[in-house]
Every structure is written in C-alpha cells, then in structure tokens.
Amino acid sequence: MSNLPISADLIAEHNAKGLEALHEDYEALGRKLARTGIDIDAIKKRVAGFSVAVPSWGAGRGGTRFAKFPIPGEPTNIHEKLEDCSVINQLSTVTPRVSPHFPWDKVADYKALREEASELGLGWDAVNSNTFQDQVGQAHTYANGSLSSQDAGARQQAVDHNIECIEIGQQLGSTDLTVWVGDGTNFPGQQDFARSLDRYLDSAAQIYAALPGDWRMLLEHKMFEPAFYSTVISDWGSSILAAQTIGERCKCLVDLGHHAPNVNIEQIVARLHRFGKLGGFHFNDSKYGDDDLDSGSINPHQLFLVFNELAEAEANPRDGFNPSYMIDQSHNVTDPIESMLSSAEAITACFAKASLVDRAALHGAQEANDTMMAFQALRRAYNVDVAPILAMARVEAGGAIDVLAAYRASGYRARKAQERKPVGLGAGIV
Ligand code: RM4
Ligand code: MN
Ligand code: MN
C-alpha cells in the first residue's frame, strides 16, 4: 500500500534503534511466563488478532460546551480524518476500522469513500446515527426528543435517519448500527416515563424492521447529558429490556463513561453476556461522568477487569461472543492521534493481561472459596508488564515499537498544518 501517510522507511528506521532491546525484553518476559506455563508466542498471536475501531469524530480536537481549542493541522472533513486514522493504524496496527457518524461524515459518494479508506488500509465499523442535534433545514426539531418524541413527525424523521444510516453503512461495508439518543428530561414531570419508553420502543422496532439480515442494532445507554433529570435509555437495565423487546439481533453497547459513579461495569459485562445481549463497547475513561478521557488514564484496573470478564465470556460463548470494540473519546488537550495511539495501547494491554489469567487457578480458588488466591490469580496477570508482547506484535505487523516516538519523529502533524485549512472555534462534541 503506497498511499499510506507514514513512510515504511521511517517506521523501519525507528524500529532499528529499539529492536535489540525489544528482543531482550521479549525473551526475558518469555522465560518468566514460561515458568508459569504460559507460552509468550501464543499470547502474542492473540494480541495480533485483536483490534479496536476508532471513531471518525475522535480524530478532531473535541471540546466541552465551554470551548474548543483547535490545533494546527487538525482534520476538518472525513477525508482528512481517514488519513489521520490511517496513521494510527499504521503505527499501532490494532485499529484497522473507522466508525463513522452521520450526518457529520456525510459525502456524496460512499462507494468512493469506501475505496478511499481501503487504500489507506482501513475498513468500516459500526455506523452511528445522530438524532441529538438539529441539522440545518430539517423539518422537525429534536428539542423534545427524537425516537421517543411526542411529535410523530420528529419520531418518523429520526427513524428515517437511522434507516438512511443503515443504507450508507451497507455501501461502506458495515454490519452494525449504533443508536444513542439524547432523549430525556430536565424536570420531574416533564414527560411520562412509561409513555416515552413506549414511543422509543415503537420507533426502534421500525428501525429494526429495516435492518439487513446480517446486521445488528446496538443500543447505547447513558445516564445523563444532555438531559439532566432522566434519559429514556438510562442504564443497562433499560437497555437490555429494550433489546429483548426489540429482537434477537438487537444488543446492548456499553460506553464505559455512561454509568452512575462507582457502578461495577465488569459485572454488567458478565450479565449482558449471560443473556446474549453483549453487543459492543465504547472505550474511554471517566472520573466524574461521561468525561470521554483517554482509555486507561484514570482507572486501568477497571479496564483490566472488564477484559477479564470478556475473556471469561469468550471462553464460555453461550449464544455466541462477538462484541464490537471502539474507542469513544473526546481529546480536548492532546493531539487526537497521540491520544488514540496511547489509548489503543492501553486497551490492547488489558486484553493481553486478561489473556494471562490462569483460569484454572482462578476457577479452582473460586470453587474452594479461597478468596485471596482467587484475587491473586487476577493480580498476578495485572502486574505483568506486557509492553514487549504488544511491541513485538506491532513490529511483526509493520507497526512501530514506540508508537508515540515514531509519530513525533514523522513530523506528520506539522506537515498537515501546512496543507490543511485551519479549524474554526466553537463548542465541541457531547
Ligand atoms: C455520546 C455517546 C455516543 C457518541 C456521541 C458523540 O455521549 O457516547 O456514542 O456518538 O456522544
Ligand atoms: Mn459512546
Ligand atoms: Mn458519551
């Protein structure tokens, strides 16, 4: 692929400097793991098979509702965003798919867009609909909700938009539709809880009826924001009940920042899997709410525990195990490429650590009520520095040993600052 934004020579030159040390570290870790019966190459193979999608909207500087601080060379359209996503994938080798958001990523020719992405080494992940904002010229406002609105016209418009997203996704080669709505209330009494959910379910059923046979509809819950008193799909309980009502291929999507503080997210993962409704993830980290901070930057242990449940689920697939993984972050103070490189590494590291858990020891300790040894089975894996495994898997796939150093050495952003038009100010994304 000659169209890739970072030259293979630059990556090779960068890797040459660190290769010897990497081999030493990899071999040392291999010996350490072998002592507990783990084959490091088998873990590396698993890591090489792992991937997480990046969101098109994450490629730009996010912002808060107070301000957005753009950086020179930031992408302003889907074409430039794809180019940046390609950089992330080239260096990290674990982000080969982009998740688009409509109408933000609207273009005239989706066949051409698919081709363009494929030349950049990228495919497409879940399509995200947007009925949380009004668009210029739209017939009905979403000010009072979309899929759950009392206004039949607004509901129909939101249903039609989701169906249009499916049609676009079909052209791109996606197979998932992610539906997150901002619908909810700011005042007690503003809407009837039961009737608004009924309207939501009715609209969602219409979208589901238009879903192609090989597609899934992923419902994303969120406790608050932009609605601050109630939201129509507020938590995993509402989400799973809705998914069960809507149909077999309707699943739940867990965004790590969309829960009440201190909620046990890893347990939610296990519950959703138990009922065949675990559809996917939006990875980010959170201190207070839907902060959209970089994955693993606040609570890497929680991320590990989530992956531990995913490893359990994979080993016990019940009705199947095929969650779709995506990063969903807002990069307010960093170069978004650097944040996604760092986040992809944090996510992959937790996946690798979860693969190291001695499941027989864990299950044995659980059965014997040996609490401390059960915990130690997790702790031993969590404490392993898996960086050499990730770096070796990257090198073998043509990526960089040190993704951030290689990115900085490439001078990519400074080059784009010369080529791209500056971004306007204004508020960021939710
Ligand atoms: C929401 C939610 C959705 C994302 C939008 C931009 O809070 O996380 O997944 O599409 O933000
Ligand atoms: Mn999300
Ligand atoms: Mn969110």
Side-chain angles (χ1 to χ4, degrees):
M1 250 172 288
S2 53
N3 279 347
L4 298 182
I6 305 288
S7 90
D9 288 351
L10 182 128
I11 299 177
E13 211 177 284
H14 159 85
N15 284 349
K17 286 182 232 147
L19 210 53
E20 205 182 311
L22 174 60
H23 275 286
E24 268 176 32
D25 292 350
Y26 185 82
E27 275 149 32
L29 179 57
R31 283 194 296 275
K32 180 179 147 91
L33 293 176
R35 285 196 290 274
T36 56
I38 298 172
D39 172 11
I40 193 170
D41 289 330
I43 304 296
K44 186 186 64 183
K45 200 167 163 215
R46 257 178 80 72
V47 167
F50 178 81
S51 65
V52 57
V54 291
S56 62
W57 61 102
R61 262 291 183 103
T64 65
R65 57 197 164 44
F66 299 100
K68 170 170 165 159
F69 300 100
I71 51 167
E74 188 178 325
T76 55
N77 57 49
I78 182 63
H79 310 288
E80 294 175 351
K81 287 175 183 174
L82 283 178
E83 206 186 349
D84 289 9
C85 293
S86 176
V87 171
I88 301 166
N89 186 44
Q90 253 196 295
L91 298 173
S92 76
T93 71
V94 293
T95 60
R97 291 176 310 282
V98 177
S99 190
H101 217 304
F102 295 104
W104 293 341
D105 296 327
K106 211 165 182 158
V107 295
D109 185 348
Y110 291 102
K111 199 168 161 277
L113 192 68
R114 183 179 185 166
E115 190 52 36
E116 186 181 326
S118 137
E119 278 172 18
L120 288 164
L122 300 169
W124 297 90
D125 205 76
V127 178
N128 299 266
S129 59
N130 177 343
T131 61
F132 48 86
Q133 283 176 320
D134 283 351
Q135 304 301 324
V136 180
Q138 125 187 350
H140 305 270
T141 181
Y142 293 136
N144 301 306
S146 58
L147 295 179
S148 76
S149 171
Q150 304 90 324
D151 174 3
R155 288 203 301 279
Q156 191 58 51
Q157 179 179 276
V159 168
D160 291 346
H161 167 67
N162 275 279
I163 294 174
E164 186 195 358
C165 284
I166 296 172
E167 286 161 5
I168 294 172
Q170 282 183 296
Q171 296 184 61
L172 293 176
S174 303
T175 52
D176 286 334
L177 171 72
T178 298
V179 182
W180 171 71
V181 293
D183 296 27
T185 66
N186 276 25
F187 287 88
Q190 186 182 338
Q191 281 181 18
D192 181 90
F193 290 137
R195 284 197 290 274
S196 59
L197 181 59
D198 282 344
R199 291 190 293 266
Y200 172 90
L201 290 172
D202 185 67
S203 302
Q206 292 178 50
I207 301 168
Y208 187 79
L211 208 64
D214 57 344
W215 274 57
R216 296 183 306 174
M217 182 170 165
L218 307 179
L219 307 184
E220 180 177 0
H221 63 271
K222 174 162 161 166
M223 192 184 55
F224 74 95
E225 195 206 19
F228 286 100
Y229 171 63
S230 73
T231 61
V232 68
I233 301 295
S234 49
D235 50 21
W236 76 276
S238 309
S239 182
I240 195 170
L241 288 168
Q244 282 173 338
T245 306
I246 294 164
E248 169 68 24
R249 284 174 297 112
C250 187
K251 311 275 179 189
C252 305
L253 183 140
V254 178
D255 182 311
L256 296 184
H258 287 192
H259 307 265
N262 302 325
V263 158
N264 187 335
I265 301 176
E266 54 272 24
Q267 188 176 26
I268 294 173
V269 172
R271 289 284 187 271
L272 291 175
H273 176 66
R274 163 66 181 78
F275 293 98
K277 287 296 185 189
L278 184 64
F281 278 88
H282 281 179
F283 290 112
N284 49 51
D285 215 332
S286 146
K287 179 79 180 162
Y288 302 106
D290 188 22
D291 310 333
D292 281 336
L293 298 173
D294 287 18
S295 300
S297 65
I298 304 290
N299 193 348
H301 190 237
Q302 175 181 263
L303 189 58
F304 163 73
L305 294 175
V306 164
F307 271 104
N308 178 54
E309 291 308 323
L310 290 168
E312 284 287 336
E314 185 181 354
N316 303 284
R318 293 176 185 262
D319 303 330
F321 175 78
N322 181 28
S324 99
Y325 297 146
M326 192 191 92
I327 293 173
D328 186 7
Q329 300 174 170
S330 180
H331 310 111
N332 303 336
V333 294
T334 52
D335 177 330
I337 291 182
E338 294 196 356
S339 264
M340 286 200 272
L341 284 170
S342 157
S343 301
E345 187 154 28
I347 293 165
T348 313
C350 286
F351 168 79
K353 287 180 188 216
S355 307
L356 296 177
V357 172
D358 182 341
R359 304 251 151 233
L362 175 66
H363 297 159
Q366 287 169 345
E367 289 308 308
N369 283 320
D370 190 339
T371 309
M372 182 49 73
M373 286 308 129
F375 173 60
Q376 291 304 319
L378 297 183
R379 188 37 53 105
R380 268 197 307 278
Y382 181 68
N383 280 342
V384 176
D385 178 3
V386 293
I389 305 180
L390 271 55
M392 194 61 95
R394 278 198 297 273
V395 169
E396 289 178 4
I401 292 181
D402 181 335
V403 289
L404 290 174
Y407 172 64
R408 291 206 169 181
S410 77
Y412 176 80
R413 189 64 81 192
R415 228 170 26 251
K416 293 299 138 186
Q418 302 299 314
E419 294 168 13
R420 292 175 178 172
K421 70 171 183 348
V423 192
L425 299 169
I429 58 161
V430 283

